[in-house]
Amino acid sequence: MLINIENSRKVAEILLRINAIKLQPSNFFTWSSGKKSPIYCDNRLILSYVNERNLIGDLFCKFIKHKFPNADCIAGVATGAIAHGMIVASKLDLPFIYVRDKAKGHGKENQIEGYLKEGSNVIVIEDLISTGKSSINAMNAIRKNNANIMSLMSIFTYEIANIEQFNTEYYTLSNYSCLINLASQKNIINENEKKILTNWRKSLIK
């Protein structure tokens, strides 16, 4: 669910302007999984732009204060959301942890880095949600440590994940539909390219 429709457009504008999102409907990207995609998202680029970074952090914080005033901890999903989650935690004066995709194979073999107090109410931050597998993995690790997931939040989503799998409230600052519509309005893509982008997403929804 979008946190705010107007702000969704602002975030989409930022992602396009700083090239955190690139659209190539005529020359698909290849993801690490091997899947072909007309869109590529790298929200780590946001960190290099101070005003944009602060705006996105502030949007998360405003919503968390309003919707989840009893949050005890912010969790970032490794690796893309570590910095974004830390920014949110710092602005809210809350503890921060981050969650790896799996436990380390050495040392203390932690999957969760940082101190997670038992019974904590946790907000999980993701930079990007595609299929949602990494988010589910992170939330399962937190739950196994006897903490509560209040909500999962992301900067952006491709809208292809089955959000019922999250077993928690899910919110995003912006999404694929908003971005594609904005790109079309700004003549970044033409009508045929918009159709290709729209059909790609539809083909992945189960």
Side-chain angles (χ1 to χ4, degrees):
M1 179 184 296
L2 284 174
I3 289 176
N4 179 282
I5 294 176
E6 181 180 348
N7 288 333
S8 174
R9 183 181 173 92
K10 289 180 181 179
V11 172
E13 286 177 336
I14 288 172
L15 299 180
L16 287 169
R17 174 163 47 80
I18 68 173
N19 289 319
I21 284 183
K22 292 187 177 182
L23 301 173
Q24 290 186 183
S26 59
N27 183 24
F28 280 26
F29 297 98
T30 302
W31 287 351
S32 58
S33 63
K35 290 183 179 180
K36 299 292 184 179
S37 167
I39 183 171
Y40 185 80
C41 180
D42 182 4
N43 285 333
R44 289 167 294 191
L45 281 171
I46 298 167
L47 301 171
S48 299
Y49 296 84
V50 178
N51 292 335
E52 291 80 358
R53 180 182 72 204
N54 284 330
L55 172 62
I56 285 171
D58 288 342
L59 290 175
F60 275 130
C61 291
K62 181 179 180 181
F63 184 70
I64 292 169
K65 286 179 181 179
H66 170 72
K67 182 76 174 177
F68 302 103
N70 296 322
D72 299 314
C73 179
I74 303 297
V77 180
T79 59
I82 293 176
H84 295 293
M86 183 64 238
I87 289 169
V88 173
S90 182
K91 287 177 178 287
L92 292 174
D93 289 325
L94 288 176
F96 174 73
I97 61 171
Y98 71 84
V99 190
R100 301 175 184 275
D101 61 343
K102 59 183 178 181
K104 291 192 298 183
H106 59 280
K108 293 190 290 183
E109 299 184 345
N110 294 336
Q111 183 173 2
I112 296 175
E113 297 292 356
Y115 173 62
L116 177 60
K117 184 178 179 181
E118 187 172 331
S120 292
N121 293 319
V122 183
I123 302 290
V124 178
I125 303 292
E126 273 277 24
D127 63 322
L128 167 69
I129 289 183
S130 54
T131 63
K133 290 181 180 179
S134 63
S135 307
I136 293 168
N137 187 35
M139 290 190 290
N140 286 341
I142 291 169
R143 290 178 177 124
K144 286 178 182 177
N145 279 264
N146 300 313
N148 307 310
I149 305 294
M150 297 193 81
S151 179
L152 170 65
M153 300 181 189
S154 65
I155 297 173
F156 187 77
T157 174
Y158 293 136
E159 296 182 279
I160 60 176
N162 177 3
I163 62 175
E164 292 182 1
Q165 298 178 81
F166 297 149
N167 293 317
T168 190
E169 295 185 47
Y170 169 58
Y171 301 94
T172 187
L173 294 181
S174 192
N175 62 20
Y176 189 84
S177 299
C178 175
L179 182 124
I180 299 308
N181 287 334
L182 179 65
S184 177
Q185 291 166 12
K186 288 182 170 291
N187 295 317
I188 295 172
I189 55 174
N190 59 38
E191 282 302 311
N192 184 57
E193 290 171 327
K194 182 180 180 181
K195 184 176 180 180
I196 292 170
L197 288 157
T198 301
N199 289 339
W200 171 80
R201 174 180 168 264
K202 287 180 179 178
S203 73
L204 296 179
I205 298 174
K206 297 179 180 178

